[in-house]
C-alpha cells in the first residue's frame, strides 16, 4: 500500500510528490498527460523557470523526481476511488487496483470554450485568462477583455498596472449602470454587440469580429470561459464544493484537506478562476506536507 496516491501529475501534483518523496513516503502519481496550460507557449512567474515552455518544465520535474526511489509516476487515469482514511482504493483505467492511506486530488479543470469560431484555436496564444501569466509581455499595448460577470470589473481595475488602453467586450451581456459609469470615468470603451468570430494573426494579436460587421483589433484578448473539473471523482466521493465565477471548486481547509478526512486537494481544482503555476506548485507542496504530517504518529 502507498502512503499517498496523487491523482493528477501537473505542477500541483508533482510539487506534492516532491515533498512526500523527500520525506521518504511511498507515493504513486497518476497522470493523463493533459495539463491545462499545454496550449501556452511559455509559462511565466515560476521562480527559476520563468519564460520556459510549461511542458518542458514538467518534463524536467519528472526527471528530477526519478532520483527519489519511493515515487512512482504512472501514465493512467483514475477511474474510481473508494474507501476511507488509511484505506483508500483507486482503480486505474488500466485495471490496476491501488491502495493508499491518503489521497491528493490535483487533476485540475478543463476550460469550456464558447461556441465562437476561432476562440478555441486562439486559446493560450491570443486569448489568455491571467495577466500575471502573460501581462508583462504585452504591457502598454491595447488589451481586450470579454465580460464574464462582476469579476470582470475587478479585472479592469487590476489591468491598470499593465496597460492604460483597454476595450471591454460585453458580448451581449447586461453590464450594470453603476459599473458602466465607472468604466466611463476610467475612459474604457464598452463594445456592446455579440462576438461572432475571433481571428488569430499569430503571436498575441487578434481581431474581434462582431455581429454588426464591425471588427476591433487588439494586441491581446483576456477571457475567462467557464470550466469544469477534469474528472468526477470528487462527485462520487461526495466532497464539498464552492461556486466560483467560472465554475465549481473543491472546498479545502487551511491544511488543504477536503471535506473527507485523508483527502487533500490543490491547484486549479481548488482555485480555477486565476490559474497560476506558482499558486498550483505552492498548494501542491503544502498538500504533500500536510498529508505527510497527518500520518506521523
Amino acid at each position: 500500500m502507498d502512503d499517498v496516491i496523487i491523482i493528477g501529475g501537473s505542477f500541483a501534483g508533482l510539487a506534492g510528490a516532491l515533498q512526500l518523496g523527500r520525506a521518504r513516503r511511498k507515493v504513486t502519481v497518476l497522470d493523463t498527460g493533459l495539463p491545462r496550460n499545454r496550449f501556452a507557449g511559455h509559462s511565466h512567474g515560476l521562480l527559476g523557470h520563468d519564460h520556459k515552455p510549461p511542458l518542458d518544465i514538467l518534463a524536467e520535474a519528472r526527471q528530477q523526481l526519478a532520483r527519489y526511489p519511493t515515487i512512482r509516476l504512472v501514465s493512467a487515469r483514475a477511474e474510481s476511488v473508494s474507501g476511507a482514511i488509511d484505506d483508500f482504493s483507486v482503480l486505474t483505467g488500466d485495471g490496476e487496483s491501488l491502495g493508499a492511506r491518503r489521497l491528493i486530488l490535483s487533476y485540475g479543470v478543463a476550460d469550456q470554450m464558447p461556441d465562437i469560431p476561432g476562440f478555441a484555436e486562439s486559446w493560450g496564444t491570443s486569448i489568455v485568462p491571467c495577466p500575471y501569466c502573460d501581462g508583462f509581455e504585452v504591457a502598454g499595448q491595447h488589451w481586450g477583455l470579454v465580460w464574464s460577470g462582476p469579476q470582470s470589473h475587478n479585472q479592469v481595475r487590476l489591468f491598470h498596472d499593465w496597460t492604460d488602453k483597454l476595450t471591454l467586450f460585453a458580448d451581449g451581456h447586461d453590464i450594470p449602470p453603476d459599473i458602466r459609469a465607472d468604466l466611463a470615468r476610467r475612459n474604457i470603451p464598452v463594445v456592446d454587440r455579440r462576438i461572432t468570430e475571433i481571428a488569430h494573426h499569430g503571436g498575441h494579436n487578434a481581431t474581434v469580429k462582431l455581429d454588426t460587421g464591425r471588427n476591433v483589433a487588439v494586441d491581446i484578448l483576456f477571457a475567462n470561459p467557464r470550466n469544469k473539473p477534469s474528472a468526477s471523482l470528487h462527485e462520487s466521493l461526495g466532497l464539498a464544493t464552492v461556486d466560483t465565477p467560472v465554475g465549481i471548486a473543491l472546498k479545502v481547509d487551511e491544511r488543504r484537506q477536503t471535506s473527507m478526512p485523508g483527502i487533500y486537494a490543490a491547484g486549479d481544482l481548488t482555485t480555477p478562476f486565476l490559474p497560476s503555476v506558482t499558486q498550483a506548485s505552492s498548494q501542491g507542496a503544502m498538500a504533500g506536507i500536510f498529508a505527510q504530517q497527518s500520518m506521523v504518529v
Side-chain angles (χ1 to χ4, degrees), residues 222-245:
F222 284 81
N224 294 102
R226 291 191 64 79
N227 54 59
K228 66 178 182 179
S230 296
S232 59
L233 300 176
H234 59 285
E235 295 178 0
S236 61
L237 290 166
L239 301 183
T241 60
V242 294
D243 290 327
T244 79

Side-chain angles (χ1 to χ4, degrees), residues 50-64:
D50 190 48
H51 203 66
K52 286 184 180 179
L55 295 182
D56 289 357
I57 300 174
L58 291 173
E60 183 178 348
R62 294 187 187 98
Q63 291 175 358
Q64 293 174 355

Side-chain angles (χ1 to χ4, degrees), residues 119-188:
F119 193 104
E121 293 79 3
S122 302
W123 185 245
T125 51
S126 54
I127 304 177
V128 296
C130 172
Y132 296 101
C133 302
D134 295 284
F136 181 85
E137 283 67 30
V138 287
Q141 300 183 39
H142 183 191
W143 290 17
L145 172 64
V146 180
W147 180 267
S148 59
Q151 69 276 2
S152 296
H153 190 209
N154 293 329
Q155 288 180 286
V156 167
R157 295 192 287 260
L158 185 67
F159 286 0
H160 182 72
D161 276 357
W162 286 275
T163 187
D164 58 4
K165 188 175 183 182
L166 174 66
T167 297
L168 183 65
F169 295 91
D171 194 28
H173 294 96
D174 291 327
I175 299 177
D178 60 323
I179 294 181
R180 283 186 177 271
D182 182 68
L183 295 172
R185 181 181 63 82
R186 298 172 185 272
N187 296 314
I188 296 174

Side-chain angles (χ1 to χ4, degrees), residues 202-273:
H204 291 301
N205 299 299
T207 296
V208 181
K209 299 185 178 182
L210 306 166
D211 59 4
T212 59
R214 178 188 174 193
N215 297 336
V216 180
V218 295
D219 294 307
I220 193 167
L221 184 63
F222 284 81
N224 294 102
R226 291 191 64 79
N227 54 59
K228 66 178 182 179
S230 296
S232 59
L233 300 176
H234 59 285
E235 295 178 0
S236 61
L237 290 166
L239 301 183
T241 60
V242 294
D243 290 327
T244 79
V246 294
I248 68 164
L250 288 194
K251 184 177 182 179
V252 294
D253 64 16
E254 67 279 0
R255 296 178 67 84
R256 311 302 308 171
Q257 187 167 227
T258 68
S259 58
M260 179 176 287
I263 301 182
Y264 299 78
D268 290 349
L269 191 59
T270 61
T271 50
F273 180 64

Side-chain angles (χ1 to χ4, degrees), residues 95-129:
E96 185 178 7
S97 182
L98 306 173
R101 297 180 60 194
R102 302 290 187 272
L103 299 177
I104 296 177
L105 305 182
S106 53
Y107 47 78
V109 300
D111 294 293
Q112 305 298 290
M113 299 295 104
D115 189 20
I116 297 174
F119 193 104
E121 293 79 3
S122 302
W123 185 245
T125 51
S126 54
I127 304 177
V128 296

Side-chain angles (χ1 to χ4, degrees), residues 23 71 249:
I71 299 176

